[in-house]
Amino acid sequence: MNDQNILLESAAPLAKFQDPDTTAKGEARASVALEGATTLWFNTGTLCNIECVNCYIESSPTNDALVYITAAEVAGYLDQIADRNWPTHEIAFTGGEPFMNPEMIDIVGMCLERGFEVLILTNAMLPMMRKKTRAGLLDLQAQFGDKLTLRISLDHFEAANHDEMRGKGSFAITVRGMEWLRDNGIKMAVAGRTLWGDSDTESRAGFGALYKAHDFAIDPHNPGMTVLFPEMDETVEVPEITTSCWGILNKKPSDVMCASSRMVVKRKGAETLTVLACTLLPYDPQFDLGETLEQAEVSVKLNHPHCAKFCVLGGASCSI
């Protein structure tokens, strides 16, 4: 029996993830200190041009729970990075679909001008392919080259599986967007999902064949360029992570995403923006850390199933 199964069997079946300090078995819950914020994320808004099955943030054409962030608001947090002397080298954007935000090109340009690398998570569909957006991307590519990376949401290397999640015909539209990026020398990565039971080797081979067929300059074997995310089904039994789990699993708190990143969101109707511990948990108030980066310099209790399945056991990271 492997260590993860031992953890599963040892955890209580009820009342998990309730107390931030103690697990259902009465053990000390693991926490993660911010050891160096190398990435600052911004959610650009939850509105999206499509609605995907099992979207962790419930993005859709009608969900505006998180509203569009502005260039001025982003600039304020970039100033805070300098004021706090954070070692941040990457500014990353997720949504929703970031290119639905009308200020997206201006926001990205500002971050690049300040010397940051920029990562944008996009479905590479119609919002990205609008004439004004394409012109903006071409200008940014000409000025900053590989400092800009677009990570494309391509759930699977087979069209039928991708379309099962994102709607009929979506695979073909995304691939056309990727071909435009390829033809214009804009750096790409891919985010896939592990829903269909492929092994890591099978998934990477499948994506590799797809990249070769379309001449995409993406390394299928580099986990930062072809990211395979574990599923985040909250109905699936997962263990709580205790302080002793680090030794059992041969992992360190610094391996977990919240050791090196934070995310800023703008909630509908809120007077101020909020800094969160994690990109995956925008709606759980226990992961709200305050309005400022200074307030966000605290340890994070791993008190959610995503902490266990996605980050600790799954080993996933949203950054490059």
Side-chain angles (χ1 to χ4, degrees), residues 150-291:
L150 272 60
R151 179 184 288 164
I152 314 304
S153 298
L154 199 65
D155 289 336
H156 199 259
F157 48 84
E158 293 183 356
N161 288 336
H162 176 90
D163 287 358
E164 178 186 349
M165 297 293 105
R166 295 177 180 261
K168 186 176 180 180
S170 60
F171 182 89
I173 296 171
T174 291
V175 169
R176 284 198 294 273
M178 294 176 70
E179 290 172 340
W180 180 84
L181 294 168
R182 173 203 65 197
D183 293 343
N184 289 282
I186 297 174
K187 185 178 178 182
M188 289 186 286
V190 158
R193 296 168 69 173
T194 58
L195 179 63
W196 295 275
D198 302 314
S199 68
D200 185 81
T201 299
E202 291 167 338
S203 291
R204 296 189 183 282
F207 277 109
L210 176 69
Y211 302 158
K212 183 177 181 180
H214 292 274
D215 197 25
F216 294 149
I218 306 171
D219 185 351
H221 303 294
N222 181 340
M225 299 307 294
T226 301
V227 186
L228 301 177
F229 287 124
E231 289 306 300
M232 296 179 288
D233 184 350
E234 293 186 37
T235 67
V236 174
E237 185 77 4
V238 293
E240 296 184 282
I241 304 301
T242 69
T243 54
S244 63
C245 289
W246 302 120
I248 295 172
L249 297 171
N250 194 29
K251 292 192 175 185
K252 306 183 297 295
S254 58
D255 295 332
V256 182
M257 235 182 354
C258 53
S260 59
S261 67
R262 293 292 186 260
M263 183 171 78
V264 179
V265 302
K266 184 179 182 180
R267 292 201 170 99
K268 185 176 182 179
E271 295 183 0
T272 60
L273 279 67
T274 302
V275 185
L276 306 180
C278 180
T279 61
L280 307 176
L281 299 167
Y283 304 128
D284 190 331
Q286 69 177 314
F287 295 97
D288 291 7
L289 304 181
E291 301 172 14

Side-chain angles (χ1 to χ4, degrees), residues 35-114:
E35 297 192 4
T38 55
T39 300
L40 183 62
W41 286 85
F42 291 91
N43 187 290
T44 61
T46 40
L47 287 173
C48 188
N49 55 302
I50 58 175
E51 186 170 2
C52 303
V53 177
N54 292 337
C55 176
Y56 75 91
I57 205 168
E58 302 172 2
S59 298
S60 77
T62 59
N63 181 10
D64 61 350
L66 302 181
V67 296
Y68 291 146
I69 201 165
T70 68
E73 288 164 339
V74 171
Y77 283 94
L78 300 186
D79 291 342
Q80 289 184 51
I81 289 173
D83 292 343
R84 301 301 300 166
N85 197 30
W86 276 20
T88 306
H89 64 82
E90 177 186 57
I91 304 297
F93 297 95
T94 185
E97 168 50 49
F99 289 113
M100 289 184 69
N101 185 317
E103 296 190 38
M104 193 63 208
I105 294 296
D106 291 339
I107 291 170
V108 173
M110 175 182 61
C111 295
L112 291 166
E113 286 169 0
R114 293 203 187 194

